Amino acid sequence: MTGSPPEWTPPGLDAARPSAARIQDALLGGGDHFEIDRMVADRLRQVVPQLSDVVAMARKFLRRAVRLLTDRGVDQFLDLGAGLPTRDNTHDMAPGARVVYVDIDPMVEAHMRLLLRENADAAAITANVRNVDAVLEHPDTRRLLDFTRPIGVITLDVLCALQDEDDPWGMVRSYMAALPSGSHLVAGDPHESGDPVADQLEQALRMTSRGCVFRKPDVIARYFDGLELLDPGLVPMAQWPDPRRRVLEPWERLMVCGVAVKP
Ligand SMILES: C[S@@+](CC[C@H](N)C(=O)[O-])C[C@H]1O[C@@H](n2cnc3c(N)ncnc32)[C@H](O)[C@@H]1O
């Protein structure tokens, strides 16, 4: 679907404006984006030439985290800000699990719906993750997820899209409050490190519709308040779950992540 917008577009999609989901797709080498998204992806790669590797690193973290959660008995997932389908989606990495994908971009639901047409265990809904009740009360969420059993909540590269005044901390707390003990939070975001490459990327993202707040690690760590952060804690994504890994390149330190369980 690369190139000009097709005549069909899901309602609410503005094909003339770059979208975070489609820029992400362009960075991952997918085919579900338009020329405008590729141009933004190219511009961002001029700032951080390894940006596609950063995005791929986040997807690899997601794979490792989903595996950990399935090993811990979690078989249902709420993937917030899921993005367009790519090679390893949460439902691919947790066969047999129930998955609800949530994204504000209607193209995500449209593409996921095609991909999931023969999968009764997963669904995608279009919603703003800030509308916690709308997400949790959505008929597909209620149909697929059993709120009496642990659920894995995934927030990968999405809380940074919320401003401080949107209170992403309170939002995470509301989701986790609605879930039973044994539920997990998987979170990963770019962070403010003082490294010039992080400053340059944050500035470049601010110029796109993919605005992104790079927060200090101790501020990101507050997403896990009230939960038990699993080893090795909040660490650079390239070092999760083994922080003894070799010395990292600056681009490998752009994102931090952690996984926690609700006691
Ligand atoms: C950078 S992409 C990350 C996608 C995926 N989680 C990953 O890490 O590969 C951010 C995604 O969050 C979605 N998003 C941003 N703000 C959102 C909001 N308030 N509610 C729901 N989705 C949102 C965007 O549409 C986009 O698909």
Side-chain angles (χ1 to χ4, degrees), residues 191-193 215-224 234 256:
H191 73 112
E192 185 190 320
S193 59
R215 300 186 164 95
K216 291 202 161 74
D218 60 325
V219 179
I220 292 178
R222 284 174 35 214
Y223 295 137
F224 301 104
L234 186 76
V256 288

Side-chain angles (χ1 to χ4, degrees), residues 4 14 22 62 73 84 112 169 171 175 178 215 223:
S4 308
D14 183 352
R22 286 186 265 121
L62 177 63
L84 282 160
M112 282 285 188
W169 305 275
M171 185 198 86
Y175 278 106
R215 300 186 164 95
Y223 295 137

Side-chain angles (χ1 to χ4, degrees), residues 70-85:
T70 54
D71 287 350
R72 292 172 67 94
V74 176
D75 61 0
Q76 1 178 45
F77 294 87
L78 183 61
D79 192 339
L80 301 174
L84 282 160

Side-chain angles (χ1 to χ4, degrees), residues 139-160:
D140 284 334
T141 311
R142 287 284 148 188
R143 176 174 61 84
L144 285 170
L145 304 184
D146 175 355
F147 281 70
T148 66
R149 294 193 305 108
I151 293 174
V153 176
I154 297 167
T155 62
L156 187 54
D157 207 359
V158 63
L159 297 175
C160 60

Side-chain angles (χ1 to χ4, degrees), residues 59-127:
R59 300 301 304 185
K60 283 186 194 152
F61 160 67
L62 177 63
R63 194 182 316 150
R64 296 195 295 274
V66 168
R67 193 176 308 140
L68 175 76
L69 264 58
T70 54
D71 287 350
R72 292 172 67 94
V74 176
D75 61 0
Q76 1 178 45
F77 294 87
L78 183 61
D79 192 339
L80 301 174
L84 282 160
T86 173
R87 206 176 43 203
D88 285 332
N89 306 292
T90 301
H91 73 277
D92 298 312
M93 299 181 282
R98 301 209 151 189
V99 182
V100 175
Y101 294 105
V102 183
D103 205 286
I104 202 167
D105 188 328
M107 209 165 115
V108 172
E109 180 181 333
H111 281 243
M112 282 285 188
R113 189 170 288 189
L114 269 180
L115 183 75
L116 298 171
R117 61 191 178 281
E118 292 182 0
N119 184 338
D121 291 332
I125 64 178
T126 303

